[in-house]
Amino acid sequence: MCGIAGAYHWPDGGPLTDRLTKCLAHRGPDGSGRYDHRAGAGEVHFGHRRLSIVDLSETGAQPMVAEGLALTYNGELYNAPELRAELEGKGVRFRGTSDTEVLLRAWREWGVDCLPRLRGMFAFGVFDERTGELTLVRDQLGIKPLFFVRRGGGVAFSSELKALATELGGTLEVDKAALIASLLYYWVPDSRCAYREVEKLQPGTWVRFRPDGTSERGAYWSLRRVAEEGEAYRGDVDLHQVIADSTSKHLLSDVPVATFLSGGLDSSYLTALAARRQPGISAYTIGFRAEDAKFEAMPDDLKYARIVAKQFGVDLHEIEIAPQVLDLLPRMTYHLDEPIGDPAAINSFLICSAAREAGVKVMLSGMGADEMFAGYRKHYANQLALRYQRVPGLVRKPIETVVDRLPVASASRGYRTVRFAKRFLSFAELPEETAFRRSYTMYDRGELLDLVNPDLAADVDDVLTEHADTYHDQHLRDYVNRMCLADTRMFLPGLNLTYTDRSTMAASTEVRTPFVDVEVVKAAFRVPGNKKIVGRQGKAALKEAALAILPKEIVYRPKGLFSAPLRAWMSRDLAPLVQEVVNEGVLVESGFLQREALQKLVAEDAAGQQDRAKHLWHVLTLEYWYRAASSTAISSS
């Protein structure tokens, strides 16, 4: 895993590339490299920061140049051995054993036609010295990031937005619509960027720049098409074999690999599979301060993690998280690039920091299983809502009145069941797309309009329309798989893969996600929704597959959350900061957010009538992000 940066036909592109690369040092502390070459009437410059995982020798160093091609690459190819063998059969000779060289030789052999063959996570830039063309590529599912800025016929690119924002900040404009999207979702969707001029290369696509200033784009993989083809599939699906194969391939490494082990189904499944391949593998798990866990009514995940570790001979490392939240909040906001309001990023950062101190560079995560196999409560809740809508109104109304009056917390503890009930009733009677959106977003349209500057009403509607357009951009008949597709297109790359990449790379650690794999995705969408949600059980098909290796007490344990005790933090550690930001923060003083609406959120949360902890946490992350952005970027009107 690495950090990449570069400039093409950009004034002072060499010095800019040096500065961009320096900003990415945390992504690759094991080495750095530069490449420069003429490109028509201009120049191309590549920078690279290396985290050595496969082929630790100099033959794996980057940027890599061979046969008139130069490559700066961030990622891992899990089918590199198979591609190498195929290329060797064609007479290609290799200098080293890195997957970087496999990619470079594959590009020379097949060009963009090599892309559908790749199985892994990657973002890269490749320059053809013969034609003077630069091509940027991102993996099929958006695991690895790539940002770029176009000016005239030139382009600058980087693995992280913060590098471009730091170096070009005075000329970039904050996109208020993207910030509104972050308020809605508590993250910025992959289709938008917090700065107007910066683009995120979309998953499964490439873009090519030519010396004459023209460019072209292409798509080599479509998640929607995979899902629709999956629905038409009529054969059997051996999920266990597909997942076991993916996990095995994700263990490819010349350095030790460990796992996240929360004690939940997904991480336990991967850890058990990995331990069968690598006996004695290390795993890392977290727990929270007893008073925080009690207040939040959090399940005892450590108990289940210990069961898995003991049964499969795993070397388990337990980390208690009692973080200095006031110190970590601005630090994580910086590393996350855009305003992201999921505190799970802190967990990932602290776990990977502990692993890195122990000499571990690579970890496996169960990320992605919930999205593809309908494992979130919102999936079951939306399906339940269809039945609830058939209940007579005379019955529904008293239920809603009682639930509305119930508190979500007392002074000493939170009431999870009440929070879930209130959340459910907020969307249970809405149409399908609107209900799905409201089941996981922070505000409805009216609340969002009350929260932001009235002049931004059109942007609010644009953001809501974009969600509806994405949700309906498919031809699936299966309701559950419609939700899974929307999540895998939006929620997974926009939030979970984003915070995982930034928070773990901040600790100079590579995290691999065996569930987020092209073959696993194909298998997942061949499973009909009625096998994903069975009765009240979400992720039923995955649980059945996991029984091939895991005990029932792990497979069918209550679902935990890879999150944090937010209500405890907000009521204790962060209470003074909340008051400061709500009453005199930059977001309020600039007019972007309305003070009265924020004060209402605080009052509702303090009274225990509504759970606004996540809303307020995200306001804090947005405040810190906006402070930094306002000091360098142009603020849009």
Side-chain angles (χ1 to χ4, degrees):
M1 196 55 56
C2 309
I4 65 173
Y8 178 79
H9 282 231
W10 193 281
D12 298 319
L16 173 63
T17 297
D18 286 338
R19 297 193 300 272
L20 293 173
T21 307
K22 185 178 180 180
C23 286
L24 303 174
H26 54 281
R27 295 185 76 93
D30 296 336
S32 62
R34 267 291 304 277
Y35 166 81
D36 309 279
H37 200 276
R38 294 294 302 176
E43 295 180 335
V44 64
H45 308 275
F46 281 175
H48 191 267
R49 293 294 314 199
R50 186 182 186 193
L51 183 64
S52 303
I53 304 295
V54 176
D55 190 353
L56 310 185
S57 73
E58 281 303 304
T59 59
Q62 295 188 55
M64 186 175 287
V65 183
E67 298 182 18
L69 293 178
L71 175 68
T72 184
Y73 158 66
N74 167 31
E76 301 289 352
L77 288 185
Y78 305 121
N79 65 336
E82 294 90 336
L83 289 172
R84 175 186 294 269
E86 184 177 356
L87 289 164
E88 286 175 335
K90 292 177 173 289
V92 176
R93 303 182 69 177
F94 289 85
R95 293 171 49 246
T97 60
S98 72
D99 58 330
T100 307
E101 188 177 6
V102 171
L103 176 58
L104 191 62
R105 305 288 183 179
W107 189 272
R108 173 53 71 204
E109 183 71 25
W110 299 300
V112 293
D113 290 338
C114 79
L115 298 177
R117 298 169 177 259
L118 305 182
R119 184 176 182 180
M121 55 180 182
F122 49 86
F124 63 86
V126 59
F127 175 71
D128 192 324
E129 296 176 346
R130 304 174 190 179
T131 64
E133 296 174 341
L134 167 68
T135 306
L136 303 179
V137 180
R138 191 175 179 202
D139 66 57
Q140 295 94 327
L141 291 157
I143 305 173
K144 291 291 103 183
L146 191 56
F147 298 86
F148 65 97
V149 173
R150 302 178 63 170
R151 287 184 180 169
V155 61
F157 66 91
S158 172
S159 291
E160 295 187 0
L161 178 60
K162 70 177 66 64
L164 293 170
T166 298
E167 297 308 321
L168 306 176
T171 63
L172 298 179
E173 182 181 349
V174 172
D175 186 351
K176 293 291 180 65
L179 301 193
I180 289 172
S182 85
L183 285 167
L184 177 69
Y185 299 113
Y186 60 94
W187 40 274
V188 178
D190 226 30
S191 57
R192 295 182 177 269
C193 185
Y195 296 98
R196 286 187 184 277
E197 199 178 359
V198 184
E199 295 183 57
K200 300 171 184 173
L201 188 60
Q202 294 301 291
T205 70
W206 55 269
V207 59
R208 176 172 292 151
F209 304 95
R210 299 188 181 93
D212 63 4
T214 62
S215 65
E216 66 173 318
R217 294 175 184 264
Y220 66 92
W221 200 84
S222 167
L223 180 61
R224 182 189 67 178
R225 185 167 60 249
V226 167
E228 291 171 353
E229 290 172 353
E231 186 169 75
Y233 183 76
R234 293 294 178 264
D236 295 328
V237 181
D238 189 342
L239 273 184
H240 177 68
Q241 184 56 49
V242 173
I243 293 166
D245 176 66
S246 178
T247 304
S248 176
K249 289 184 180 300
H250 280 69
L251 290 169
L252 180 68
S253 174
D254 292 333
V255 298
V257 178
T259 74
F260 287 97
L261 178 56
S262 68
L265 170 65
D266 311 330
S267 64
S268 296
Y269 195 4
L270 296 186
T271 298
L273 290 168
R276 290 284 176 87
R277 300 282 301 183
Q278 294 187 7
I281 193 171
S282 294
Y284 289 77
T285 192
I286 58 171
F288 296 97
R289 290 179 299 196
E291 61 269 28
D292 290 346
K294 180 180 178 182
F295 184 88
E296 202 72 18
M298 302 180 81
D300 184 8
D301 289 333
L302 282 174
K303 175 179 72 174
Y304 297 102
R306 289 167 183 157
I307 292 171
V308 173
K310 182 178 180 180
Q311 178 166 337
F312 293 95
V314 172
D315 180 17
L316 184 63
H317 303 260
E318 299 179 12
I319 305 164
E320 181 178 282
I321 290 189
Q324 298 297 316
V325 187
L326 280 170
D327 296 330
L328 276 174
L329 180 57
R331 184 177 180 185
M332 291 313 303
T333 301
Y334 166 78
H335 277 296
L336 290 173
D337 274 350
E338 293 181 296
I340 294 178
D342 193 332
I346 290 178
N347 302 354
S348 296
F349 174 72
L350 294 176
I351 290 175
C352 286
S353 296
R356 197 68 169 89
E357 289 177 6
V360 174
K361 288 184 180 182
V362 183
M363 299 188 71
L364 301 187
S365 163
M367 185 71 67
D370 283 314
E371 287 85 350
M372 285 178 269
F373 292 99
Y376 290 122
R377 290 187 180 92
K378 66 182 177 183
H379 297 135
Y380 171 69
N382 275 274
Q383 194 176 57
L384 181 63
L386 298 179
R387 298 199 292 270
Y388 182 77
Q389 291 173 9
R390 295 195 290 268
V391 175
L394 290 175
V395 177
R396 295 201 306 264
K397 190 63 178 177
I399 295 174
E400 293 162 5
T401 300
V402 170
V403 171
D404 184 59
R405 292 174 178 172
L406 292 173
V408 298
S410 66
S412 59
R413 62 168 299 176
Y415 304 128
R416 281 195 162 204
T417 302
V418 177
R419 295 208 304 270
F420 295 153
K422 286 178 180 280
R423 184 70 165 168
F424 173 75
L425 291 176
S426 72
F427 63 82
E429 298 183 11
L430 298 174
E432 179 182 321
E433 178 274 325
T434 310
F436 182 67
R437 171 170 51 80
R438 283 297 294 126
S439 70
Y440 73 95
T441 53
M442 307 289 281
Y443 306 93
D444 62 24
R445 180 177 181 273
E447 291 168 336
L448 203 50
L449 288 171
D450 289 342
L451 183 62
V452 303
N453 190 304
D455 294 339
L456 299 173
D459 291 316
V460 169
D461 286 333
D462 284 347
V463 169
L464 296 176
T465 298
E466 182 181 43
H467 183 281
D469 290 346
T470 302
Y471 188 85
H472 292 304
D473 181 30
Q474 43 74 28
H475 299 97
L476 297 178
R477 297 181 301 276
D478 189 308
Y479 176 46
V480 173
N481 275 327
R482 287 200 294 271
M483 291 189 286
C484 290
L485 176 58
D487 269 348
T488 310
R489 296 175 78 181
M490 295 187 68
F491 190 73
L492 184 60
L495 173 64
N496 284 339
L497 293 175
T498 295
Y499 87 68
T500 298
D501 174 83
R502 307 306 189 281
S503 62
T504 59
M505 290 305 296
S508 302
T509 307
E510 172 179 304
V511 169
R512 301 175 175 181
T513 52
F515 286 113
V516 190
D517 172 86
V518 289
E519 296 303 322
V520 175
V521 171
K522 289 178 186 176
F525 283 102
R526 288 175 175 177
V527 177
N530 61 11
K531 291 187 177 180
K532 291 182 176 180
I533 300 179
V534 178
R536 299 178 62 185
Q537 283 283 343
K539 225 156 34 179
L542 188 65
K543 290 175 180 177
E544 184 178 350
L547 286 173
I549 192 170
L550 287 176
K552 285 186 176 181
E553 63 182 315
I554 299 298
V555 172
Y556 293 108
R557 59 153 290 191
K559 181 174 175 59
L561 294 173
F562 187 66
S563 189
L566 264 188
R567 288 192 58 80
W569 290 357
M570 301 304 292
S571 64
R572 299 168 188 167
D573 308 67
L574 297 173
L577 179 61
V578 170
Q579 291 299 323
E580 174 195 332
V581 168
V582 165
N583 291 303
E584 52 194 42
V586 175
L587 292 170
V588 168
E589 295 296 328
S590 69
F592 177 63
L593 294 186
Q594 303 296 295
R595 181 180 287 110
E596 294 77 12
L598 291 178
Q599 290 172 338
K600 181 182 177 183
L601 292 178
V602 172
E604 289 174 341
D605 194 68
Q609 278 303 116
Q610 298 291 338
D611 180 12
R612 302 299 191 189
K614 184 176 284 188
H615 301 68
L616 295 172
W617 171 268
H618 182 53
V619 168
L620 297 184
T621 64
L622 183 57
E623 172 78 13
Y624 274 110
W625 185 91
Y626 197 68
R627 287 179 187 178
S630 298
S631 66
T632 56
I634 302 170
S635 180
S636 66
S637 58

